[in-house]
């Protein structure tokens, strides 16, 4: 991949991923998956042009794979081991996820960075194993409320991106970035479309500065209280290529409506 001469002309297919986090059970997952399939059957045109998928908890990935196979929706995982295979009790490897036909894997979600102390070295290993297995890592970055208030947003994001640049540039494999301001996750507070655009443009420039090949073509998703009511305005921004959706992805209608908002981006 080489950087295009005119980055404005690069087309990035909108992408919406649902992060179910540690929610649901078999029955609720079945219900949610059938809701998504129904939405696709009823309004296929409204979803044309958007790529979409769900990241269920590990035990339900197989169920998602069985139900969603052959549909518009793909599936992925919320985490992956930073080891290849072997005696790592409780861990799930990238090759196992690929075996379940996962397309994406989230790497470095703020909940994992904060609650499980994930380090840049571990995240880099996750990116590398994901790539080796043929998965697309969705690398999550974002600042806390106090960091934003201290005007440190760009500094924090630069450090998070720079920490992973080596892993991201080691191959020409695809990856996605998700900007998830920690203060907007599960709080009902959302970055304004202008705030999101400003940060997304910064992330793109930082990738380019880190010599990430094809930075203009990398999809950068916004996450943090994305809802049907704010999705269209967020996805209307030039560098907001879709969303990583938490709470609203647990309600089929809401998730479908967010996917439809992203699809509008592809016909602008
Ligand atoms: P919410 O959409 O619930 O704010 O969660 C965002 C998120 O963390 C997605 O990964």
């Amino acid at each position: 991949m080489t950087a295009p001469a005119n980055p404005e002309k690069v087309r990035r297919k909108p992408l919406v991923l649902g992060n179910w986090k540690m929610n649901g059970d078999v029955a609720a997952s079945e219900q949610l998956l059938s809701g998504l399939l129904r939405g696709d059957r009823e309004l296929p045109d409204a979803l044309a042009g958007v790529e979409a998928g769900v990241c269920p908890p590990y035990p339900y990935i197989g169920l998602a794979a069985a139900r969603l196979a052959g549909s518009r929706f793909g599936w992925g995982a919320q985490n992956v081991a930073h080891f290849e295979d072997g005696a790592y009790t409780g861990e799930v490897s990238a090759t196992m996820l690929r075996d379940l036909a996962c397309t994406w894997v989230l790497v470095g979600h703020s909940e994992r960075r904060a609650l499980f102390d994930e380090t840049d070295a571990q995240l880099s290993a996750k990116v590398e194993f994901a790539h080796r297995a043929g998965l697309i890592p969705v690398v999550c970055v974002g600042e806390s409320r106090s960091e934003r208030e201290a005007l440190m947003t760009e500094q924090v994001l630069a450090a998070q991106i720079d920490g992973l640049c080596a892993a991201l540039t080691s191959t020409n494999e695809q990856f996605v970035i998700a900007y998830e301001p920690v203060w907007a996750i599960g709080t009902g507070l959302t970055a304004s479309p202008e705030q999101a655009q400003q940060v997304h443009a910064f992330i793109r420039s930082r990738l380019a500065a880190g010599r990430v090949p094809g930075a203009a073509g990398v999809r950068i998703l916004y996450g943090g209280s994305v809802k049907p009511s704010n999705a269209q305005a967020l996805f209307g921004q030039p560098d907001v290529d879709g969303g990583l959706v938490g709470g609203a992805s647990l309600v089929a209608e809401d998730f479908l409506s967010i996917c439809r908002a992203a699809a509008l981006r592809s016909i602008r």
Side-chain angles (χ1 to χ4, degrees), residues 19 21 106 109-111 140 180 184-188 223-226 244-248:
N19 175 7
K21 305 195 179 181
L106 308 186
H109 190 282
S110 61
E111 286 149 18
C140 305
E180 299 208 311
I185 295 179
T187 58
S225 299
V226 177
L244 179 54
V245 186

Short mmCIF file of all heavy atoms in Angstrom, two decimals, residues 19 21 106 109-111 140 180 184-188 223-226 244-248, ligand 1:
data_model
loop_
_atom_site.label_atom_id
_atom_site.label_comp_id
_atom_site.label_asym_id
_atom_site.label_seq_id
_atom_site.Cartn_x
_atom_site.Cartn_y
_atom_site.Cartn_z
N ASN A 19 -19.89 -3.78 19.89
CA ASN A 19 -19.12 -4.41 20.96
C ASN A 19 -20.12 -4.76 22.07
O ASN A 19 -20.56 -3.89 22.80
CB ASN A 19 -18.05 -3.43 21.46
CG ASN A 19 -17.29 -3.97 22.66
OD1 ASN A 19 -17.47 -5.13 23.04
ND2 ASN A 19 -16.45 -3.13 23.24
N LYS A 21 -19.65 -6.31 24.69
CA LYS A 21 -19.00 -6.38 26.02
C LYS A 21 -19.45 -7.65 26.75
O LYS A 21 -19.77 -8.64 26.10
CB LYS A 21 -19.28 -5.09 26.81
CG LYS A 21 -18.86 -3.85 26.00
CD LYS A 21 -18.75 -2.59 26.79
CE LYS A 21 -18.30 -1.44 25.88
NZ LYS A 21 -18.15 -0.18 26.57
N LEU A 106 -10.97 -6.64 18.50
CA LEU A 106 -10.67 -5.37 19.18
C LEU A 106 -9.35 -5.54 19.94
O LEU A 106 -9.12 -6.58 20.55
CB LEU A 106 -11.78 -5.01 20.18
CG LEU A 106 -13.22 -4.99 19.66
CD1 LEU A 106 -14.16 -4.45 20.76
CD2 LEU A 106 -13.35 -4.16 18.40
N HIS A 109 -8.99 -1.98 23.96
CA HIS A 109 -10.15 -1.21 24.42
C HIS A 109 -9.81 -0.57 25.76
O HIS A 109 -9.09 -1.17 26.57
CB HIS A 109 -11.37 -2.14 24.55
CG HIS A 109 -12.63 -1.38 24.78
ND1 HIS A 109 -12.96 -0.85 26.02
CD2 HIS A 109 -13.64 -1.04 23.95
CE1 HIS A 109 -14.12 -0.21 25.91
NE2 HIS A 109 -14.55 -0.31 24.67
N SER A 110 -10.34 0.62 26.02
CA SER A 110 -9.94 1.33 27.25
C SER A 110 -10.29 0.52 28.50
O SER A 110 -9.60 0.62 29.52
CB SER A 110 -10.60 2.71 27.31
OG SER A 110 -12.00 2.58 27.33
N GLU A 111 -11.35 -0.29 28.42
CA GLU A 111 -11.67 -1.12 29.59
C GLU A 111 -10.58 -2.15 29.84
O GLU A 111 -10.28 -2.49 30.98
CB GLU A 111 -13.05 -1.78 29.39
CG GLU A 111 -14.18 -0.76 29.56
CD GLU A 111 -15.41 -1.03 28.73
OE1 GLU A 111 -15.61 -2.16 28.26
OE2 GLU A 111 -16.19 -0.07 28.54
N CYS A 140 -8.03 0.38 19.64
CA CYS A 140 -8.81 1.43 20.32
C CYS A 140 -7.88 2.40 21.04
O CYS A 140 -6.95 1.98 21.73
CB CYS A 140 -9.76 0.81 21.34
SG CYS A 140 -10.84 -0.45 20.64
N GLU A 180 -12.13 6.20 20.95
CA GLU A 180 -13.17 6.09 21.97
C GLU A 180 -12.77 6.93 23.18
O GLU A 180 -12.02 6.45 24.05
CB GLU A 180 -13.34 4.63 22.39
CG GLU A 180 -13.78 3.73 21.26
CD GLU A 180 -14.58 2.53 21.78
OE1 GLU A 180 -14.13 1.86 22.72
OE2 GLU A 180 -15.66 2.29 21.24
N ALA A 184 -16.73 9.34 27.22
CA ALA A 184 -17.98 9.21 26.46
C ALA A 184 -18.50 7.77 26.46
O ALA A 184 -19.59 7.50 25.98
CB ALA A 184 -17.77 9.68 25.02
N ILE A 185 -17.71 6.83 27.03
CA ILE A 185 -18.10 5.42 26.96
C ILE A 185 -19.11 5.08 28.04
O ILE A 185 -18.82 5.21 29.23
CB ILE A 185 -16.86 4.50 27.09
CG1 ILE A 185 -15.93 4.71 25.90
CG2 ILE A 185 -17.28 3.04 27.20
CD1 ILE A 185 -14.66 3.88 25.93
N GLY A 186 -20.30 4.71 27.61
CA GLY A 186 -21.33 4.28 28.54
C GLY A 186 -21.85 5.39 29.44
O GLY A 186 -22.52 5.13 30.43
N THR A 187 -21.53 6.64 29.11
CA THR A 187 -21.92 7.75 29.98
C THR A 187 -23.10 8.54 29.43
O THR A 187 -23.67 9.36 30.14
CB THR A 187 -20.75 8.75 30.12
OG1 THR A 187 -20.41 9.21 28.81
CG2 THR A 187 -19.54 8.11 30.77
N GLY A 188 -23.42 8.31 28.17
CA GLY A 188 -24.46 9.12 27.54
C GLY A 188 -23.88 10.42 26.98
O GLY A 188 -24.52 11.12 26.21
N GLY A 223 -16.25 5.84 18.79
CA GLY A 223 -17.03 5.08 19.76
C GLY A 223 -17.19 5.88 21.04
O GLY A 223 -16.28 6.61 21.45
N GLY A 224 -18.35 5.76 21.66
CA GLY A 224 -18.64 6.49 22.89
C GLY A 224 -20.03 7.06 22.81
O GLY A 224 -20.24 8.13 22.25
N SER A 225 -21.01 6.27 23.34
CA SER A 225 -22.41 6.69 23.35
C SER A 225 -22.95 7.02 21.95
O SER A 225 -23.69 8.00 21.78
CB SER A 225 -22.63 7.86 24.32
OG SER A 225 -22.27 7.47 25.64
N VAL A 226 -22.55 6.22 20.95
CA VAL A 226 -23.17 6.37 19.63
C VAL A 226 -24.59 5.83 19.72
O VAL A 226 -24.82 4.75 20.27
CB VAL A 226 -22.40 5.59 18.54
CG1 VAL A 226 -23.10 5.71 17.19
CG2 VAL A 226 -20.97 6.09 18.43
N LEU A 244 -17.87 2.31 16.56
CA LEU A 244 -17.73 1.13 17.42
C LEU A 244 -18.76 1.36 18.53
O LEU A 244 -18.63 2.30 19.32
CB LEU A 244 -16.31 1.02 17.97
CG LEU A 244 -16.02 -0.15 18.90
CD1 LEU A 244 -16.39 -1.49 18.26
CD2 LEU A 244 -14.54 -0.18 19.30
N VAL A 245 -19.79 0.54 18.52
CA VAL A 245 -20.98 0.83 19.31
C VAL A 245 -21.11 -0.16 20.47
O VAL A 245 -21.06 -1.37 20.26
CB VAL A 245 -22.23 0.70 18.39
CG1 VAL A 245 -23.48 1.15 19.14
CG2 VAL A 245 -22.04 1.50 17.11
N GLY A 246 -21.27 0.37 21.68
CA GLY A 246 -21.44 -0.49 22.84
C GLY A 246 -22.92 -0.71 23.13
O GLY A 246 -23.59 -1.52 22.47
N GLY A 247 -23.45 0.03 24.09
CA GLY A 247 -24.83 -0.17 24.57
C GLY A 247 -25.87 -0.29 23.46
O GLY A 247 -26.71 -1.20 23.49
N ALA A 248 -25.81 0.60 22.47
CA ALA A 248 -26.84 0.59 21.43
C ALA A 248 -26.74 -0.64 20.52
O ALA A 248 -27.67 -0.94 19.78
CB ALA A 248 -26.77 1.88 20.59
P1 LIG B 1 -21.05 2.81 24.52
O1 LIG B 1 -21.55 2.90 23.10
O2 LIG B 1 -21.93 2.00 25.40
O3 LIG B 1 -20.72 4.17 25.06
O4 LIG B 1 -19.66 2.00 24.46
C1 LIG B 1 -18.69 2.38 23.57
C2 LIG B 1 -17.65 1.33 23.54
O5 LIG B 1 -16.89 1.17 24.49
C3 LIG B 1 -17.56 0.47 22.36
O6 LIG B 1 -16.40 -0.29 22.35
#
